[in-house]
Amino acid sequence: MQSLIILKFSKGQKVKILETLSDIRRNLYGWVLVQNEFGEQAWIRQDSISAKLLPNEGIGEIYSVSARLRKGRDNEKPKPGENLGLILDLFIHQGEIISFGSWERKKYKQYKVGSKERLKYLSKSKGQVLELGNARRLGEQYDGETGCWFGYEYNSKIGLQESEINSTQDLVFGGDIYPKFPDGEIQNGVTDEKYIQILNRISNDLSKYSSIEEIKKGTVRPLKCEGEHCHTAAWILPDKTYLFSTIEAIFTGEVRRHYSLFLIVLIKDGREKLISFLFDKSSESIGRFFYKITDMDSNGIPEIWIEDINSHGESFEEKIFLLDRDSFIPLGTRYWTGC
């Protein structure tokens, strides 16, 4: 390993990830074996790697979908044939995510439109891309007053029944991007006992690595995956399975506290590997939760969407990561903060 580390990789150099040592319970945690475009290999720290989507020529747009029609503002009425709700998630420009948040009206005036045309619908149930009718944005009159992005809501119509709309996997997109579905199957609400046992064992192992003192010292009861306080999804591939789990607990006393542990665990050939974990403690935040998986640039390397949810069940921030050779790399953030 030392003979490879001595290579110096310049900032901004493109690298291919070959292997990741991501389990904090194992030796050499946090190191990644990478290869540059000249075939040279080196072990570098995972936190020194950043990611971006493949460059495109213009602006791409990603929307999430809802089977139930969004009613929008109180004065908005659905128009004939509208059976689909959309919300604009993010823009992609030259391979970089443009997040929601404060905006300069002149710079982003191209997005201040009352409708969208030529949007496409990636349908899980149909296994193909469908053309979407014009999408009519709701609440456009509020733009000038707020000067903020909140994730614009749209109403639209499509020739699918409500049972054929998969709100967790279907994707609406426009512009110069061509997303595809990731391989495998995604199952939400997983309660398989063998997975629960693995998660609880890892949760117990990780307590000593927590930066939260009361978890590290054991002054609060261990976080356990049980009942309604454990939220687990499985991404099932032919040769392996990824578990995404949030284990939470609420303690009431002089100050109400939320504790949580977010886990990504790989299970392959009967063995487990910890990919990522995060302990959280707050009076306002519940924690980090798995949202969805996409492949926005169709390169076979998936993006994992993670929600930060507060104590009111609201999510004002979503973080997007690449999952590449078991490296969990920050890619971008979608904010819902407003002004």
Side-chain angles (χ1 to χ4, degrees):
M1 181 171 171
Q2 289 182 348
S3 63
L4 293 173
I5 286 180
I6 61 175
L7 287 174
K8 292 184 178 180
F9 280 46
S10 60
K11 185 177 181 180
Q13 188 173 2
K14 294 181 181 179
V15 296
K16 177 181 180 181
I17 295 174
L18 302 179
E19 184 180 352
T20 304
L21 304 176
S22 62
D23 195 328
I24 198 171
R25 301 169 299 170
R26 307 288 183 258
N27 292 332
L28 305 177
Y29 163 70
W31 289 92
V32 181
L33 178 61
V34 298
Q35 177 177 292
N36 65 14
E37 55 190 322
F38 304 107
E40 298 170 319
Q41 296 183 7
W43 286 93
I44 61 176
R45 294 292 300 174
Q46 181 172 331
D47 54 18
S48 69
I49 301 175
S50 61
K52 63 184 294 185
L53 296 167
L54 291 177
N56 51 55
E57 297 301 322
I59 295 172
E61 303 166 41
I62 292 286
Y63 301 75
S64 58
V65 307
S66 171
R68 295 177 180 173
L69 184 68
R70 295 182 183 274
K71 295 181 181 179
R73 308 293 181 181
D74 292 339
N75 60 348
E76 290 284 348
K77 301 295 181 184
K79 292 187 175 181
E82 290 182 340
N83 65 340
L84 184 69
L86 303 175
I87 191 159
L88 178 57
D89 276 338
L90 52 84
F91 302 113
I92 304 169
H93 182 250
Q94 295 299 322
E96 295 184 351
I97 291 173
I98 302 175
S99 301
F100 289 103
S102 300
W103 62 293
E104 299 173 11
R105 193 175 307 164
K106 291 182 180 179
K107 184 176 181 181
Y108 297 115
K109 63 183 180 180
Q110 63 265 41
Y111 305 124
K112 189 178 183 298
V113 294
S115 63
K116 285 289 182 180
E117 300 178 353
R118 296 184 295 277
L119 295 179
K120 298 184 183 296
Y121 189 104
L122 184 59
S123 170
K124 187 69 174 178
S125 65
K126 297 294 185 181
Q128 64 185 90
V129 174
L130 308 174
E131 298 293 330
L132 186 68
N134 289 354
R136 178 175 63 92
R137 200 176 91 213
L138 308 178
E140 179 191 8
Q141 66 272 20
Y142 289 83
D143 282 357
E145 298 176 15
T146 63
C148 298
W149 286 331
F150 288 96
Y152 298 139
E153 294 182 347
Y154 291 79
N155 282 347
S156 188
K157 57 184 177 181
I158 191 171
L160 292 175
Q161 300 298 317
E162 184 167 334
S163 60
E164 297 176 307
I165 296 173
N166 188 323
S167 60
T168 61
Q169 297 188 55
D170 290 358
L171 207 64
V172 170
F173 62 98
D176 187 45
I177 53 173
Y178 302 92
K180 69 175 184 179
F181 286 118
D183 295 333
E185 177 187 1
I186 300 168
Q187 295 181 357
N188 292 291
V190 172
T191 58
D192 191 310
E193 185 60 31
K194 66 181 179 182
Y195 292 152
I196 303 302
Q197 290 179 5
I198 291 173
L199 294 171
N200 281 333
R201 185 174 67 253
I202 292 176
S203 174
N204 186 65
D205 289 348
L206 292 179
S207 59
K208 62 184 177 184
Y209 300 104
S210 176
S211 60
I212 301 172
E213 284 299 311
E214 52 264 50
I215 292 178
K216 187 174 183 177
K217 294 179 179 179
T219 55
V220 298
R221 68 176 182 267
L223 295 174
K224 293 192 65 176
C225 181
E226 55 187 9
E228 62 182 9
H229 297 298
C230 185
H231 314 267
T232 303
W235 181 24
I236 302 172
L237 295 160
D239 61 338
K240 56 188 175 183
T241 295
Y242 289 94
L243 298 179
F244 303 88
S245 184
T246 300
I247 304 171
E248 57 168 325
I250 302 173
F251 296 92
T252 56
E254 293 184 7
V255 179
R256 180 183 175 93
R257 292 292 186 188
H258 293 264
Y259 296 89
S260 68
L261 171 60
F262 174 75
L263 293 170
I264 302 179
V265 178
L266 166 66
I267 300 174
K268 183 176 182 179
D269 298 329
R271 302 178 65 181
E272 69 192 49
K273 180 183 180 182
L274 179 64
I275 304 300
S276 182
F277 75 97
L278 177 71
F279 283 101
D280 191 28
K281 166 193 170 183
S282 175
S283 59
E284 289 297 328
S285 172
I286 292 180
R288 179 179 284 187
F289 291 78
F290 169 79
Y291 177 40
K292 64 181 177 182
I293 302 176
T294 57
D295 187 355
M296 292 188 282
D297 49 9
S298 295
N299 67 345
I301 301 175
E303 303 95 27
I304 311 297
W305 296 53
I306 306 295
E307 290 184 310
D308 283 343
I309 298 181
N310 66 18
S311 57
H312 302 290
E314 302 165 326
S315 176
F316 291 99
E317 184 177 77
E318 286 175 1
K319 295 181 173 67
I320 306 168
F321 298 81
L322 286 187
L323 183 58
D324 185 4
R325 296 295 180 104
D326 299 336
S327 284
F328 195 55
I329 308 170
L331 177 63
T333 304
R334 194 279 298 272
Y335 297 99
W336 278 61
T337 48
C339 295

